[in-house]
Amino acid sequence: MIKLINVHKWFKDLHVLNGVNLNVNQGEVVVVCGPSGSGKSTLIRTINQLETISEGEIWVDGKSVTDPKTDLNLLRAEVGFVFQHFNLYPHLSVLDNITLSPIRVKKMDKAAADKLAVELLERVGLAHKKDAFPAQLSGGQQQRVAIARGLAMQPKVMLFDEPTSALDPEMVGEVLQVMRDLAKSGMTMMCVTHEMGFARDVADYVVFVDQGQIVEQATPEAFFGNPQHERAKQFLGQLRAH
Amino acid sequence: MDFSQIIPALPDLMDGMWLTLKLMVMAVVGGVVLGTVLALLRLSSNPVLSGLAKAYVNIFRSVPLLLVIIWFYLAVPMLLNWITGEFVAVGAFTSCLVAFMMFEAAYYCEIVRAGIQSIAKGQVNAAYALGMTYGQAMRLVVLPQAFRKMMPLLLQQSIILFQDTSLVYAVGLMDFLSSARSRGDILGLPHEFLLFAGLIYFVVSFAASRGVKHLQKRLAV
């Protein structure tokens, strides 16, 4: 479903991604973790080309992302993306946030888009908030709306870029629950997150990124139980210390 | 001082005020549209487009408005004559409107540009991630938010434009100030009429300015 082949990226002199190879099959859930500044956010943003790459290839659902001939808007419509800071549109109601792209990009008619949006809001437990504005919601609620907004495009893949890092601790659980349900429904997912409980429960495998490279890739049991790489050991040690 | 003659002159003065308001509203609408286009060009990653927009803004901000009005009055008919090959009559109103629109667009451009830049980058990223094109992201996500933020500044600039429309006296257009002045001259009461005109400009501008302040407070919440 997602394939990265020898991906490199430079910000001027800084080598942010250094030869990343990764393969995510249909229905798999992959958790990406690593110390801050390791390039994990950049990595996930290259998959829908919010970040360009300097070298290498990226394929999503058999289509090249990096080929200049690819229609990027069409491809992005099939890849859901959830941001750390939600990025809901503050000038639109919850319902309009969700239906904007289905109506404008996928040319769905308004009634069908509204119906789909309400179904998705029920799924994330927020149907009663459909007429609220983002500023009236808590962080956890905003993030659940953002997930519904991504799902409304009926994507083949969902990408999550630290979806719970900006949340107060008591709101992390509700967002993770939505993500767990989504994983159970068979969605192909890639998540940058430090939520190790989530990784342990739903990830097919964990990818550990350091200094722009994937230094370890293992099942959650192997990664948490017996990390091979020195930096992975250090990283896990620091996480546990907190 | 004899202000009693102002009342019979009111219909004439109203005609002048009507022209002033018509000119202002049309210039604001045209200026904001052109200013928004200029702002998008200025923010474009294409150096030729952003350079052209920047040059436009710098030129119009560096010449007096009065000069632009006179210049357009003389140049627009000549330009049209040159393009179409025949003589086209362009009224003073049209040439003034074009002059105001193009002049104000330079100022509106800077306001709109700042407004667009104040919208967090995450908004554009979200729009892109949801499959929107640059045009859709601007039209549906960024500009509606930017305009809401900059509404007070745009209105403030429009109040200045309201006062500046009085410069059309230079090409003989009968706006509010011109009609007050000519009435006063005819009746031999220039001071009374000018004082009255000043009072009206003050009341309209001051009330509008207070209205903007009020709006600013409401939008800030």
Side-chain angles (χ1 to χ4, degrees), chain B residues 94-173:
Chain B
T94 309
S95 80
C96 281
L97 179 60
V98 173
F100 276 115
M101 259 164 52
M102 295 191 65
F103 186 85
E104 291 300 319
Y107 290 86
Y108 287 127
C109 166
E110 292 304 277
I111 297 173
V112 175
R113 184 172 69 114
I116 291 173
Q117 284 175 324
S118 76
I119 302 302
K121 190 83 179 46
Q123 290 291 310
V124 186
N125 279 339
Y128 283 163
L130 285 151
M132 288 190 207
T133 60
Y134 168 80
Q136 288 173 321
M138 278 294 157
R139 200 159 38 87
L140 302 170
V141 175
V142 175
L143 287 177
Q145 294 180 53
F147 271 105
R148 193 169 302 193
K149 272 197 182 175
M150 59 204 181
M151 196 47 82
L153 274 175
L154 288 174
L155 291 175
Q156 208 66 57
Q157 182 66 29
S158 305
I159 294 170
I160 298 172
L161 176 61
F162 169 70
Q163 293 157 18
D164 285 350
T165 51
S166 57
L167 289 171
V168 298
Y169 84 90
V171 295
L173 214 51

Side-chain angles (χ1 to χ4, degrees), chain A residues 83-96:
Chain A
F83 295 86
Q84 181 178 1
H85 295 288
F86 336 129
N87 297 352
L88 293 179
Y89 310 132
H91 62 303
L92 298 179
S93 71
V94 163
L95 194 76
D96 290 339

Side-chain angles (χ1 to χ4, degrees), chain A residues 115-189:
Chain A
K115 187 165 165 281
L116 174 66
V118 171
E119 278 168 23
L120 289 167
L121 281 172
E122 270 162 17
R123 202 163 143 190
V124 300
L126 288 170
H128 59 293
K129 293 285 187 190
K130 71 183 170 68
D131 297 319
F133 280 81
Q136 298 165 320
L137 303 181
S138 72
Q141 290 173 329
Q142 288 192 50
Q143 193 62 298
R144 280 145 69 197
V145 171
I147 293 172
R149 181 174 70 169
L151 291 173
M153 294 297 277
Q154 293 160 322
K156 299 191 166 121
V157 181
M158 283 290 279
L159 306 175
F160 296 82
D161 185 7
E162 305 208 29
T164 57
S165 306
L167 296 177
D168 290 335
E170 73 267 26
M171 290 167 188
V172 170
E174 61 190 72
V175 171
L176 289 180
Q177 190 52 48
V178 168
M179 290 170 64
R180 281 196 165 99
D181 293 345
L182 195 58
K184 232 178 274 166
S185 74
M187 176 64 77
T188 310
M189 291 164 63

Side-chain angles (χ1 to χ4, degrees), chain A residues 26-87:
Chain A
Q26 172 126 32
E28 277 182 342
V29 177
V30 174
V31 163
V32 180
C33 61
S36 96
S38 60
K40 54 193 190 308
S41 265
T42 309
L43 174 67
I44 200 164
R45 291 161 78 94
T46 62
I47 295 168
N48 70 349
Q49 288 289 285
L50 287 179
E51 296 274 2
T52 55
I53 59 171
S54 314
E55 229 181 274
E57 290 174 40
I58 300 176
W59 296 78
V60 174
D61 192 30
K63 289 179 221 87
S64 168
V65 173
T66 39
D67 183 344
K69 284 194 291 267
T70 304
D71 185 341
L72 215 53
N73 301 309
L74 217 64
L75 184 126
R76 282 171 173 155
E78 298 189 340
V79 178
F81 198 100
V82 176
F83 295 86
Q84 181 178 1
H85 295 288
F86 336 129
N87 297 352

